[in-house]
Amino acid sequence: MTFGGKNDPMSSLMGALELREASKIIEEALEAGINFIDTANVYGLGESEEIIGETLKQKRHDVVIATKVGFRMGSGANQVGLSRKHIIREVEESLRRLQTDYIDLLQIHRPDSLTEWEEILRVLDDLVTSGKVRYIGASNLQGWQIMKANETSSRLGLGRFKSFQSYYSLVGREAEREIIPVIKDQNMGLLIWSPLAGGFLTGKYVKGTEGGADGRRMKFQFPPVHVEKGYEILGVLEHIAQFHQSTVPQIALAWLLHQPAVTSVILGAKRPEQLRENLGAADIVLTNDQLLQIDEVSKLQPEYPLWDPTAYTADRYPI
């Protein structure tokens, strides 16, 4: 999301990178063993895809490229959403920008209340059948929408979503309420966006500061964070980071990697040293006690109907 887009207001808030800077980060990521690159047509209004395509054109088959469709790409009525017309046009544009003849994973970026699931899933299935797309996924849906889409695919004999991309972090665990149970039930991969909560879990946000002059959240308070609870979580992460001789973001990322439902975590590095630090999370093994400490300080408050999950199942097991 940070690649290109200096003329795009959203990407500018993220701190847009030019081709040379972004390519350097991609090259270092590949050398470190990363083989999955996630982007979207709307990132930098196409510039992110262009940078990735230019950087990977000699290494295309070594990398899994995921992109997305659904957000507005122009002012016209047909330049937004998940209609057959818009999806096909944007896939063609993404293929051109990525300098490839196929997309490994095409994800719908968000729901479209004006387009029927049958239309959306038929065009996605057509793209897979044509060879322009290998697999399909989704992002930012509610649990019931995932189930409705999968039921529609099964009923019509169409390809199903193989993965789901969700926001999930130690200061944003709402995905545990319905999304993660659905993902596990449907045997789908789970990809995490903004695992450091828009920079809040980088360790530079402490009580009484706003992360410094270059802090992204100074310009763009997203994803939303319960700040006071967030400071409590940061305190526990700092203590555990000292034990592992690591950093707060490494512990936050390591916690995600310890969650059974999580397939992969998407990193949005703006500097090579930031990438290197984040990759260090893969080598951290948290103890059971540390996982319990983190869970206790960050867990969600129970909500109906799961105030007491055992209340609905206790009498179904032998005494």
Side-chain angles (χ1 to χ4, degrees), residues 124-311:
L124 293 176
D125 191 71
D126 288 345
L127 288 166
V128 172
T129 302
S130 72
K132 293 181 179 179
V133 171
R134 295 293 187 257
Y135 301 97
I136 60 172
S139 181
N140 301 318
L141 304 182
Q142 296 179 59
W144 70 267
Q145 292 171 319
I146 300 171
M147 291 301 296
K148 186 172 183 178
N150 283 352
E151 187 279 330
T152 302
S153 292
S154 296
R155 177 166 50 84
L156 299 176
L158 305 173
R160 287 160 55 103
F161 291 135
K162 297 296 185 183
S163 63
F164 186 75
Q165 194 171 139
S166 174
Y167 169 58
Y168 187 32
S169 79
L170 276 170
V171 289
R173 293 178 59 175
E174 289 79 7
E176 294 173 4
R177 297 202 190 279
E178 57 169 310
I179 289 173
I180 288 178
V182 168
I183 294 307
K184 292 167 69 175
D185 177 78
Q186 295 295 292
N187 195 31
M188 296 167 64
L190 180 61
L191 308 171
I192 306 306
W193 61 261
S194 200
L196 297 178
F200 187 85
L201 294 171
T202 57
K204 63 186 178 183
Y205 289 87
V206 295
K207 202 163 188 176
T209 76
E210 293 297 335
D214 63 341
R216 188 174 95 187
R217 296 188 67 87
M218 287 283 289
K219 310 170 188 175
F220 189 45
Q221 292 288 336
F222 185 82
V225 170
H226 187 300
V227 175
E228 288 304 315
K229 183 175 181 179
Y231 290 145
E232 292 181 36
I233 294 169
L234 285 171
V236 172
L237 296 183
E238 288 169 2
H239 175 72
I240 295 174
Q242 290 174 5
F243 175 86
H244 286 277
Q245 295 185 320
S246 61
T247 65
V248 166
Q250 286 177 331
I251 300 301
L253 294 171
W255 178 84
L256 281 169
L257 294 173
H258 279 67
Q259 304 311 300
V262 172
T263 306
S264 191
V265 175
I266 298 169
L267 305 175
K270 291 192 293 184
R271 301 180 305 278
E273 57 270 23
Q274 183 184 25
L275 174 66
R276 292 180 212 121
E277 177 185 0
N278 289 344
L279 289 178
D283 298 320
I284 295 174
V285 178
L286 299 172
T287 67
N288 288 336
D289 181 62
Q290 289 168 345
L291 288 170
L292 286 172
Q293 289 179 53
I294 295 172
D295 182 67
E296 184 61 31
V297 74
S298 65
K299 66 184 179 182
L300 297 171
Q301 291 298 309
E303 287 188 354
Y304 175 82
L306 295 178
W307 290 325
D308 179 8
T310 63

Side-chain angles (χ1 to χ4, degrees), residues 5-54:
K6 287 194 176 295
N7 296 320
D8 172 34
M10 180 66 74
S11 295
S12 294
L13 286 171
M14 297 291 124
L17 300 180
E18 298 292 349
L19 173 61
R20 184 175 177 181
E21 301 169 300
S23 293
K24 185 177 180 181
I25 289 176
I26 293 174
E27 294 289 351
E28 184 156 338
L30 296 179
E31 290 174 9
I34 288 177
N35 66 349
F36 179 88
I37 307 291
D38 177 78
T39 185
N41 59 349
V42 74
Y43 296 166
L45 295 179
E47 285 185 66
S48 174
E49 290 182 327
E50 289 175 352
I51 288 171
I52 291 168
E54 182 64 25

Side-chain angles (χ1 to χ4, degrees), residues 87-112:
I87 288 177
I88 291 176
R89 172 184 169 81
E90 287 306 315
V91 165
E92 295 291 350
E93 288 296 300
S94 290
L95 290 170
R96 176 185 61 80
R97 290 189 289 256
L98 290 166
Q99 300 187 47
T100 183
D101 56 2
Y102 69 96
I103 295 165
D104 292 292
L105 176 64
L106 177 66
Q107 305 155 105
I108 60 169
H109 209 157
R110 63 178 183 178
D112 180 356

Side-chain angles (χ1 to χ4, degrees), residues 42 45 71-81 86 89-90:
V42 74
L45 295 179
F71 274 90
R72 181 168 289 283
M73 292 297 289
S75 59
N78 295 319
Q79 294 178 284
V80 65
H86 183 67
R89 172 184 169 81
E90 287 306 315

